[in-house]
């Protein structure tokens, strides 16, 4: 049976056009409407080099295939959001309670439930090695309406590292977030430092983090001063726009959280995610 050469050529052209359109749609995806660049897929960036001097070998406990990511949309940030956020707007009755994500998962679960019972949304900056041990916590945090960010892979003194070491610390945690949730998250917080130096900011930017999340209220709950002390320190210093630094793995922090949330309500303040605070 003869084949019409012109028909074949027309069909081939149509298939090529459809293929190109599909690739363009996949590349542009869900970034429309966000004032920040879209959070890039880790597969689209070069992988970090493996350093022989790394303080800890790359863990292997991360599942090879992620569960279906929890769908969540980050609100666009205000156009004037700085590269390093220390506080949010002082004009709204909101603040952000941010948590170092590590420690006993039962303590983390209790803390999340308490926040949810009070209608509060938290921002959890996770340590990548914790996700290797407790991968289910990534989805649990998002399922409660909270936000996830990056707090490095091993929680070492990132400010003292060479650029490639710092890059790897950030990128390894980002890979785990991408694998477990479908996103690297919006925020990076340096480990063992309140503020990011210029080198750390640049390495975070190269991994895909346009913003570093610092804080203006630190009750030093990691020193376990007791629930009453943590509560008093937070309520004394927290104000509209504050970013409070707290830690998940400490029982005193969980015990303090109900009184903190009640006290914030009495002050007319409500805990929202860092992205909501800066939107």
């Amino acid at each position: 049976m003869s084949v019409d050469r012109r028909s074949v050529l027309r069909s081939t052209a149509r298939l090529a056009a459809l293929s190109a359109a599909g690739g363009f749609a996949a590349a542009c995806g869900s970034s429309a409407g966000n004032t920040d660049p879209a959070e890039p897929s880790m597969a689209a960036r070069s992988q970090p080099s493996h350093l022989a001097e790394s303080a800890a070998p790359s863990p292997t406990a991360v599942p090879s295939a992620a569960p279906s990511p929890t769908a969540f949309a980050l609100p666009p940030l205000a156009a004037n959001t700085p590269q390093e956020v220390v506080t949010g707007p002082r004009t709204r009755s909101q603040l952000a309670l941010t948590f170092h994500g590590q420690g006993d998962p039962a303590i983390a679960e209790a803390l999340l439930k308490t926040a949810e019972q009070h209608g509060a949304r938290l921002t959890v900056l996770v340590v990548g090695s914790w996700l290797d041990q407790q991968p289910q916590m990534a989805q649990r945090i998002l399922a409660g309406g909270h936000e996830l960010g990056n707090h490095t892979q091993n929680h070492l003194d990132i400010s003292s590292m060479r650029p490639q070491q710092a890059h790897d610390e950030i990128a390894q945690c980002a890979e785990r977030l991408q694998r477990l949730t479908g996103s690297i998250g919006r925020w990076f917080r340096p480990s063992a430092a309140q503020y990011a130096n210029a080198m750390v900011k640049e390495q975070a930017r190269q991994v895909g983090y346009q913003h570093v999340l610092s804080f203006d209220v630190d009750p030093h709950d990691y020193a376990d001063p007791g629930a009453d002390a943590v509560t008093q320190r937070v309520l004394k210093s927290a104000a509209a726009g504050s970013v409070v630094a707290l830690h998940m793995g400490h029982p005193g922090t969980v015990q303090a959280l109900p009184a903190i949330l009640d006290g914030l309500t009495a002050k007319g303040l409500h805990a929202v995610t860092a992205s909501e605070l800066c939107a």
Side-chain angles (χ1 to χ4, degrees), residues 193-213:
Q194 180 175 0
Y195 304 109
N197 62 26
M199 179 274 292
V200 171
K201 288 179 183 177
E202 174 58 20
Q203 298 311 312
R205 187 193 65 77
Q206 288 186 19
V207 173
Y209 295 99
Q210 303 302 316
H211 299 282
V212 174
L213 185 60

Side-chain angles (χ1 to χ4, degrees), residues 8 10 14 31 41 56 95 103 123 127 142 144 179 204 218 221 244:
V8 171
R10 282 198 299 270
R14 282 198 300 271
S31 61
S41 166
L95 83 172
T123 299
V127 177
L142 293 179
R179 189 177 301 176
D218 183 1
D221 63 325
V244 183

